[in-house]
Amino acid sequence: ATLVAESQVYCLRVDPSFLEDLSDVERSAYYASLYCFLAKLLAERLDSTTTKLAIAEQRLSELQQGNIG
């Protein structure tokens, strides 16, 4: 697969052997931290997208009503 980024990105690669060497407690902590990070990132992106959508809808409404030149 080929990916093309529109802006700067970071890629986290975790060697599977790293996870195998962790204790059950450490592995659980790793996954909890990873899921927490992903949840926060997705929530921020959703909030940003929602804000952009609200602005676009407002502008469209104004255009439809003839309020913008």
Side-chain angles (χ1 to χ4, degrees):
T2 300
L3 299 175
V4 178
E6 293 182 4
S7 62
Q8 182 177 1
V9 297
Y10 296 94
C11 179
L12 172 64
R13 180 183 177 276
V14 178
D15 188 332
S17 66
F18 164 78
L19 297 175
E20 292 171 3
D21 293 338
L22 297 177
S23 69
D24 289 342
V25 171
E26 292 171 327
R27 193 175 306 113
S28 293
Y30 166 80
Y31 283 122
S33 296
L34 178 62
Y35 294 146
C36 183
F37 167 77
L38 292 174
K40 288 179 181 180
L41 178 65
L42 291 174
E44 289 172 5
R45 289 184 178 183
L46 178 58
D47 185 55
S48 174
T49 300
T50 301
T51 299
K52 290 176 184 178
L53 176 59
I55 291 169
E57 287 178 336
Q58 179 62 36
R59 289 181 180 165
L60 178 60
S61 176
E62 290 171 356
L63 283 171
Q64 289 173 338
Q65 294 173 10
N67 294 336
I68 295 180

